[in-house]
Every structure is written in C-alpha cells, then in structure tokens.
Amino acid sequence: MGPTLFAWENQPGDQPIDTKQVINLTNKVGVDGTLNWKVPAGDWTIVRTGHRMTGSKLMIAQPEADGLSIDWLDHRGVEIQFENLGKVLLEENAKANSKALKYFCDDSFEDGFPNWTPKIIDKFKAFCGYDPQPYFPVLAGFIIGSAEISDRFLHDYRKTIADCMANGHYKRFAELCHENGLKVQNESAGPSRSGTMCMDALKNLGRSDQPMGEFWLGAKHDEPGGLDDDQPYGVSRLEYGQNKVTKMVASAAHIYGRKTASAESFTSFRHWKDAPEHLKQALDRAFCEGINRVVIHTTTASRPEDGLPGFEYGAGTHFNPNVTWWENSSAFLTYISRCQHLLRAGKFAADVLFYNGDAAPNIVLPKHVPPGLGKGYDYDVCNEEVLLTRLSVKNKLIVLPDGMAYRVLVLADDERMPEKVIAKLEELVKAGATIIGPKPQKSPGLGNYPACDQYIKSKANLLWGKANGKSIKLNHLGSGRVFYNENVRNVLFNDGILPDFEYSGKENFIDFIHRKTASEDIYFITNRLDHAVNSSCTFRVNGQPQLWDAVTGEIIKAVPFKKSGSRITIDLQLARFQSYFVIFPKAKTAMPAQSKTLFPVFTQKQILTGAWEVNFNPKWGGPNKIIFDELIDWSKHSDEGIKFYSGKAVYHKSFTCNLPAKDKRMFLDLGVVKNIASVKLNGKNLGTIWTSPWRVDIGNSVKSGENKLEIEIINQWPNRLIGDAALPKEKRLTNTNIVFKKTDPLLPSGLIGPVQIMIE
C-alpha cells in the first residue's frame, strides 16, 4: 500500500523459500472462513492474501455523486460509475435537446495506492503468462525463490496493475464515451501520488482523446523569489522551475497521435489576487512544455442574488463575469487563442526520443535539460507500448505513424530489458535507427525465466557488438548504429545537428518550443525572467524570419537576421515575461526590405505630471470625482473609499504635445499598472493593455496642441473585501463565501505610473 522504494537484491543471510514449499490453501477454506487442512509435519506460516475496501470516498463530490471510490483496476468499476452518473447527464442533455455536450472528463487521479482487484489472478496470467499465486507471499515481505526472483515477480505484478488501470479504467471509460457519441478527456497521470502508485502514466494518457494534466500558480508566484528552486513544491508548485506533469502530457499527445495537450490551468488558492498580467508567465511556461489547450480552473456559476463577487469554488483562479476585470478579459483570451492556434499547427519538433523503460510506476519527469544532451535541444519520452507498436524507421529517422520524427532513441539507464523490447530495437537498428544507451544484461521479469536472460544477452551482443562503453563506444548493425556510454550531444554534433535554439547571455533564460508544418517552422519563445533582456537568438532553420506578437497581433515580416551555415540569428529584445512567435516560411518569396532596427531606441519626450481627474464608482465606495495631484497607489490613499476600492476608475488628463518628425513613432508608456488598463486618446480607443511592455502606440491618434487622454484602470476584489471585513454585515458592499480579514494586507492598485510619452 506504499510507494516503490528500492529493488530487492540477493544478500548474504537471505533465507529464501522455495516455491515448492508454498502450498495454496484456497480450496480448503470454507465459506465461513474456517481453514480445514491436515497440516504436514513441520512449522508452517499461513499467509492470507486478499483484498478489502479501503473506505476511500470520492473527494469534493456534489451530493448526488457522492460515495465510495471505484475499483480502478477493473472495467466494472467505471461501468457502474458511467451507468449511475454518466447516463444521468446524457439523459438530461437529451431532454434539453442540446448539442453542447462533447466529452466527459476524469479529473486527476488522487486515490492512494490501489493494488488489487478481484480478478487480479486472471489478469496477471493473461498479462505475464504465469501463475502468480506461489509468489503472493512476496507481497507480505517473504523472499520466494530468491530476492532477485521475488523482485522480478514484483516487477511483473506492478506492470499488471499498470495495465489494469490503463485498460480496465481509462480504455473502458473511453469506449463508453465513444459508444455514446462523446470524446473522453483525462487527467490520468496525477500529479497526486502518481510517482508512487503503480501506473504507466503515458499508457493512461494514451487512452484519452484529449490527454490532460494541470499546472498551478504558486502561493507567492508574483513575489521576488517566490518561484526559486529552494521553495518547497507546496509554495512554488514547480519542480526546479517547471510544472510537474505538463511535459508528460505533451509527450503522450505526441507519441499517441493526439492534436491537443490540455492542462487544467491556473489552479491556486490565491483568491482574486491574479489578473491576466500574473497568469501570463505561468501560461507561457506551460506552452513551452508542450501544452496547447488551456482549460480554465475555475469558472464558477454564482446566482445574481448572491451579490458580488458571489460564491466561489475553494481553489482555482476565479475566472467568470464576477471578477472585476472581466469586461477587459478578451485581450487575454485573444492571446491564448492566437498561441493555441499556432501551437497546434503541424507537429512538435524534437531531435531526441527517450525510452522510459518498462517498469511501473512509469512517470515522465518535468521538462529539464537532460544530462548528456544539454541546452538547445527538445525531446519526447515514450513507453514500452509505443516503442513496440508505433515506432518505425524512415530515412534513418525514428518515426511515428502520425508524422512525428526523431533523430536518436535514448534508452533508459537500466541493465534490464524485456525480450520484446530488445527484439524491437534490433528491428529498428537494422532499418537505420541510431540508438544510445547501456548494454542490457537480463530481463526484468519472471516470464520465460531463466531462458529470457540468455535471450537478452544474445541479442545485446549482436546489437552492441564489441562496444564496451570505454575504448569502443559504437557498433554498426544493418543500416543503423548503437552507441554505448556516449554523450547524446556528441552524437548529434558529430552528425552535424547543432542545437535547435540557442540564446546569448549567461544570465538570460529564454524558453522555447518548435513546431513544423508543411509550409513553415514555428518557434514560440518567451523571456522567463521578470526583467527585460537583450539576446542574440539562433534558430536551426533557414529563410526570412517573421516576428509575430500574439499580444498585439502585430506581424513584422522584415526582420533583420544573420545567416551562418544552417542557422539564423536574430537580435531580440524582450520585456519581462514577454513572448514572441518567430515564423520561418519555407516558400521562397521576394524578400521584404529589412528594417534597419527591429527594436528602435525610445527616449522620453514628455512625462505627464501634475493633476489627474479620477472618477470612481460610488456604488463600490469611491468618490464620483476626485483630483489626484499626482499618481498614487489607491491602497495608500487617506480616503477609505479609495483605499479599499475595488473595480474600475477612469483617469482624465489634458496635455499639450509637439509632434516629432513624421517618420518617428510615438508611444504612451503607463509605467506601473494595477491591474489592467484601457486607453483612449482624443476619443480614439487604443485597446487594452494587460502585460509588459505597458505601452501603446499613439502615433495615429496624438495631435499637435491639446490632447485629451482617458485611461480606465481596474484592480481586483481583495481591497474591498478587506475593507468590508471591518464593517458590520449590513454596511458591507460585497458578499462572498471566501473569508478575508480586516488585517489582511491590501494589494497595490490603480495607475501608479509614471505615465510618459516616448519617441523613437
């Protein structure tokens, strides 16, 4: 019932029990549980192996769906669930004559360590090919045969559990959905406890039409140091700067031929503390991990009579019409839409496919720089099932039926390998594949033991030849190659495969993901730092680059670049957490005239100092009209109606401007904004500004002489909720089930500035 901690190895002093000394007494137990057995001479230990209910119940269930957890390892469990819940939803949908229902969803697996099902013996025999019953005492800690043999049985048992979960639950759930005209979406690989329960995470995800994971916002993700590696997972919600399961979900989507890799997005316990500006850096990190379908967590339905901000779910970033900035959310949603559209185009581009081995639990680590591969290359991870059933070779590339292709296959760091796997490797190598990894010595399981070990050694000698990982590191076989103890990066370099993406600046951190279509290469890059960076970015592709800004929709086709061999270098500037798409069309067209400077230098032309007229909404406690002598954080204002204000305020200011030469661009820079802004100049709507850089082009709306500027600013709910917490209930302006204290710190709010006009 606990995690897999270590392998069992033969040790001096072991007292193994021969399988011949294990007697099955099952048929000697009466229906009342009485054992009727004529005991042979000697001392015997009786071990009763079976199962019981754990008492685990569905968490956070609506009353109609509450009850005991299902059997995760047998199809009857999900069939009962579907009959009593799925059919109800289908019937309600039919009554409404609605076509809105498209799929059912399983939330993340969070149910401990299921390890038994009533038909486990039959399932084990079918999956592993031998009777497990003589080895059942191993589950109670006894050594049967030897420690190594016992460990082989445990390996087979865990793989059986993983197969039962993948096919008994997730495959059957998908079949039931498909029979009813629906697709299925699963968070079938955790993250909760998925590192210890005996699942094959990729196999689970591969049973889903829309494989799905999740990513959270850390408790202090918007504070300096809040995402540092020394922060515990419960604080940062990251593992060494990356989300826990999103790379695994993306790999599953790629290797099983799914178009989308989904993620429950922005989960947190930070009630109303996150506007779009805070969400972007977490979103872009997930995009670079391979996520291309965002599932907002959470949109809560709250009745109008419940007031504002209304009733909310206890977790998740609140994202519904009751949030203060909802009226301006389209700018953020447009950004998501543009990114998702491009990140679903074509196929993911990666040089390396890692084989994760066949053991269970089998979990893909968060995105990282694999040792021996280094920066600049991307990768996928596959499991035994995909290796055996979906990999082939074409033009010396390792390919999948859906179009994915990799240059090398890297094996797990394990001396054990199943017979089927090494036979498949022989097939791939002879067809032209390049494989890198250690030489296996034996099979991991008990099936066909001990002949299986001899088979492994024989095939390994053929594949690895004289390669010993020291003086000889390469063996040729057929049209392919097998490297032993060789650095993956060296293999790629020696093949002329330079990094796919590199950037200059040791202190910089620019993340990327690359997709290919028939007509273009699409790179998404993002500055992972909370300050602006300058960097020379190099892409392993040729052609005229284009710069696409998914925030503004601007496309620059005349991007200056330098060509060096098979790669293109562009000098880029990125504001804090800023991102771009860099597109390389493959069709040779007339090259546009390159702009001399992609990122012109802007100088300060004018700071808008002095008084501002500000209009608050009296409904939420603010003054209808007030003059700010200078820009100030609302939470620091002496007027409590402003100090505790939540919602929209409109800033008005007139200023005189002398226009520069016609070929010079002008921008309005807002400085510090808490939390989202909309700008009008001389009556012309210049749009919503929600992320850095906090500026907008005013060249087509500014005029010589007097100009009238209007800036709408919207902050978030906490300040009003904190203010109301100090008031008697009848005087409160807000109503919600989420509790704030009057002593909670106020959030910075408003237009803090400085607001200035910048000129090229």
Side-chain angles (χ1 to χ4, degrees):
M1 289 299 292
T4 301
L5 299 177
F6 51 82
W8 292 24
E9 297 178 348
N10 296 334
Q11 300 288 343
D14 283 352
Q15 296 181 1
I17 301 165
D18 193 296
T19 53
K20 296 177 182 178
Q21 295 178 282
V22 179
I23 302 174
N24 189 345
L25 302 176
T26 302
N27 60 4
K28 299 183 184 300
V29 179
V31 293
D32 63 351
T34 301
L35 173 62
N36 296 294
W37 177 39
K38 186 176 181 180
V39 184
D43 294 329
W44 294 84
T45 298
I46 299 174
V47 180
R48 180 170 180 253
T49 303
H51 70 284
R52 63 172 177 83
M53 300 294 288
T54 65
S56 171
K57 297 188 71 174
L58 187 65
M59 291 187 287
I60 321 174
Q62 62 267 45
E64 301 90 342
D66 198 9
L68 292 166
S69 297
I70 65 171
D71 182 349
W72 285 94
L73 308 180
D74 185 86
H75 62 90
R76 280 298 299 144
V78 73
E79 288 172 353
I80 293 169
Q81 183 92 340
F82 200 96
E83 186 68 29
N84 290 277
L85 179 58
K87 290 291 181 66
V88 173
L89 297 172
L90 287 165
E91 289 168 2
E92 291 297 315
N93 190 63
K95 288 178 186 177
N97 195 28
S98 171
K99 296 182 180 180
L101 185 59
K102 303 296 183 184
Y103 58 89
F104 281 156
C105 177
D106 251 354
D107 199 6
S108 51
F109 171 78
E110 301 181 23
D111 203 18
F113 306 90
N115 63 6
W116 189 272
T117 185
K119 297 180 180 178
I120 188 66
I121 295 173
D122 292 338
K123 293 178 183 294
F124 187 100
K125 289 178 179 178
F127 188 70
C128 297
Y130 66 93
D131 185 358
Q133 292 177 96
Y135 301 94
F136 276 163
V138 174
L139 301 176
F142 292 90
I143 300 175
I144 302 298
S146 69
E148 181 188 353
I149 287 175
S150 298
D151 192 64
R152 287 172 180 256
F153 163 72
L154 288 174
H155 173 274
D156 292 341
Y157 188 84
R158 292 169 185 142
K159 284 191 66 177
T160 301
I161 295 297
D163 185 71
C164 287
M165 188 179 206
N167 292 324
H169 182 81
Y170 290 110
K171 181 182 178 181
R172 184 60 183 139
F173 185 27
E175 290 171 346
L176 291 167
C177 288
H178 297 164
E179 289 168 9
N180 287 275
L182 300 177
K183 291 185 176 181
V184 66
Q185 170 178 295
N186 303 114
E187 289 184 57
S188 50
S192 299
R193 306 184 181 94
S194 61
T196 49
M197 188 270 164
C198 293
M199 65 168 65
D200 182 332
L202 292 172
K203 199 172 184 178
N204 288 352
L205 291 163
R207 302 300 182 262
S208 180
D209 300 310
Q210 295 174 168
M212 182 168 163
E214 62 182 58
F215 67 88
W216 286 58
L217 300 178
K220 302 177 181 179
H221 79 102
D222 58 339
E223 300 178 17
L227 298 180
D228 288 354
D229 291 345
D230 59 359
Q231 296 286 349
Y233 177 75
V235 173
S236 71
R237 292 292 177 175
L238 301 176
E239 290 189 1
Y240 299 102
Q242 299 294 153
N243 293 306
K244 195 177 185 74
V245 300
T246 44
K247 181 66 175 179
M248 174 164 58
V249 171
S251 281
H254 302 154
I255 64 177
Y256 280 98
R258 306 296 188 257
K259 184 176 181 179
T260 60
S262 306
E264 169 195 316
S265 305
F266 313 125
T267 310
S268 77
F269 298 109
R270 292 166 48 88
H271 301 290
W272 295 292
K273 292 182 180 179
D274 290 301
E277 63 160 318
H278 303 115
L279 306 180
K280 185 177 185 297
Q281 57 92 7
L283 176 64
D284 290 349
R285 176 170 54 244
F287 281 155
C288 289
E289 290 163 333
I291 296 301
N292 60 12
R293 180 173 176 267
V294 169
V295 181
I296 299 288
H297 188 213
T298 301
T299 298
T300 308
S302 186
R303 303 172 303 177
E305 58 264 35
D306 293 325
L308 293 175
F311 284 85
E312 284 289 359
Y313 184 55
T317 293
H318 307 318
F319 203 97
N320 59 48
N322 286 358
V323 297
T324 54
W325 43 266
W326 182 257
E327 64 184 88
N328 289 332
S329 61
S330 64
F332 178 56
L333 293 172
T334 297
Y335 175 75
I336 296 177
S337 298
R338 287 169 174 157
C339 290
Q340 289 186 158
H341 176 73
L342 289 173
L343 292 174
R344 294 180 194 176
K347 298 294 180 184
F348 172 60
D351 293 302
V352 182
L353 180 63
F354 287 93
Y355 168 54
N356 222 28
D358 77 307
N362 198 323
I363 308 298
V364 177
L365 293 175
K367 182 180 177 181
H368 61 287
V369 178
L373 180 59
K375 293 182 178 181
Y377 297 98
D378 214 338
Y379 64 93
D380 269 330
V381 180
C382 79
N383 56 356
E384 180 187 27
E385 179 179 61
V386 167
L387 186 146
L388 292 176
T389 64
R390 290 178 57 81
L391 291 190
S392 60
V393 178
K394 183 178 181 180
N395 298 326
K396 295 188 178 296
L397 296 177
I398 297 159
V399 298
L400 287 159
D402 318 286
M404 287 295 304
Y406 311 90
R407 298 180 187 276
V408 297
L409 174 67
V410 179
L411 305 179
D413 186 13
D414 193 341
E415 67 172 6
R416 304 170 302 171
M417 182 176 289
E419 294 171 276
K420 291 181 180 178
V421 170
I422 201 166
K424 178 70 175 189
L425 294 183
E426 179 186 1
E427 174 189 321
L428 294 173
V429 172
K430 287 181 176 178
T434 295
I435 292 177
I436 306 170
K439 183 178 181 179
Q441 303 297 319
K442 58 184 179 180
S443 171
L446 265 183
N448 196 32
Y449 178 79
C452 57
D453 286 1
Q454 294 303 316
Y455 181 86
I456 296 298
K457 290 177 181 178
S458 173
K459 289 294 183 183
N461 287 336
L462 174 68
L463 280 163
W464 274 261
K466 295 182 179 180
N468 55 21
K470 297 176 182 178
S471 58
I472 303 174
K473 295 186 176 183
L474 169 62
N475 184 53
H476 292 274
L477 180 66
S479 301
R481 304 173 297 174
V482 178
F483 287 91
Y484 184 12
N485 199 27
E486 180 59 280
N487 186 292
V488 184
R489 195 178 186 91
N490 287 346
V491 173
L492 293 171
F493 261 74
N494 291 335
D495 287 348
I497 310 301
L498 299 177
D500 191 21
F501 173 76
E502 291 184 293
Y503 57 88
S504 65
K506 290 183 179 180
E507 302 302 319
N508 291 341
F509 185 2
I510 301 175
D511 209 349
F512 85 105
I513 191 167
H514 178 193
R515 295 186 71 90
K516 285 177 174 285
T517 73
S519 56
E520 65 262 315
D521 283 85
I522 301 169
Y523 288 84
F524 175 77
I525 64 171
T526 184
N527 175 18
R528 289 281 297 273
L529 304 177
D530 63 355
H531 59 79
V533 302
N534 296 330
S535 183
S536 295
C537 296
T538 301
F539 305 83
R540 195 183 66 209
V541 67
N542 277 312
Q544 169 65 53
Q546 301 177 1
L547 201 63
W548 294 28
D549 188 341
V551 172
T552 65
E554 181 183 16
I555 296 176
I556 302 174
K557 295 185 177 180
V559 175
F561 65 92
K562 299 174 184 176
K563 186 177 185 301
S564 177
S566 61
R567 300 200 295 174
I568 294 290
T569 298
I570 309 171
D571 292 330
L572 294 174
Q573 296 177 12
L574 295 98
R576 65 186 297 269
F577 300 133
Q578 190 174 21
S579 58
Y580 285 110
F581 283 92
V582 185
I583 312 292
F584 294 86
K586 293 180 181 178
K588 292 185 178 180
T589 58
M591 292 289 188
Q594 293 184 8
S595 58
K596 294 181 180 179
T597 308
L598 184 59
F599 298 97
V601 176
F602 292 98
T603 58
Q604 182 188 98
K605 178 177 175 61
Q606 185 178 353
I607 299 180
L608 301 187
T609 57
W612 294 75
E613 177 188 311
V614 187
N615 306 124
F616 291 87
N617 187 344
K619 176 182 177 181
W620 298 106
N624 181 54
K625 178 180 177 181
I626 191 172
I627 301 299
F628 282 3
D629 293 330
E630 60 181 1
L631 296 175
I632 183 175
D633 177 350
W634 299 348
S635 68
K636 300 184 183 302
H637 203 282
S638 59
D639 185 329
E640 290 198 347
I642 298 174
K643 180 178 182 178
F644 296 116
Y645 186 82
S646 291
K648 178 168 66 178
V650 184
Y651 289 70
H652 300 271
K653 189 175 188 62
S654 295
F655 66 93
T656 301
C657 181
N658 296 318
L659 297 182
K662 289 185 179 180
D663 62 340
K664 301 295 183 183
R665 289 184 290 173
M666 293 182 67
F667 283 80
L668 183 72
D669 190 295
L670 301 185
V672 177
V673 175
K674 298 296 180 183
N675 294 99
I676 195 166
S678 294
V679 178
K680 288 182 180 179
L681 182 59
N682 297 320
K684 185 174 182 179
N685 189 348
L686 302 183
T688 298
I689 309 175
W690 59 273
T691 186
S692 60
W694 293 87
R695 64 182 183 225
V696 62
D697 192 332
I698 60 173
N700 293 326
S701 53
V702 69
K703 60 185 180 181
S704 183
E706 185 179 27
N707 291 265
K708 292 185 177 181
L709 177 63
E710 180 181 303
I711 304 175
E712 290 183 357
I713 300 293
I714 305 176
N715 71 335
Q716 303 196 77
W717 278 119
N719 289 2
R720 184 65 263 165
L721 294 168
I722 293 166
D724 280 5
L727 300 175
K729 190 172 183 178
E730 64 273 11
K731 291 188 177 182
R732 296 174 184 174
L733 304 178
T734 57
N735 184 55
T736 181
N737 60 314
I738 304 297
V739 177
F740 277 79
K741 300 176 183 177
K742 63 181 180 181
T743 55
D744 287 339
L746 297 174
L747 301 183
S749 297
L751 178 60
I752 301 173
V755 177
Q756 51 191 325
I757 296 173
M758 311 295 290
I759 186 171
E760 181 182 348

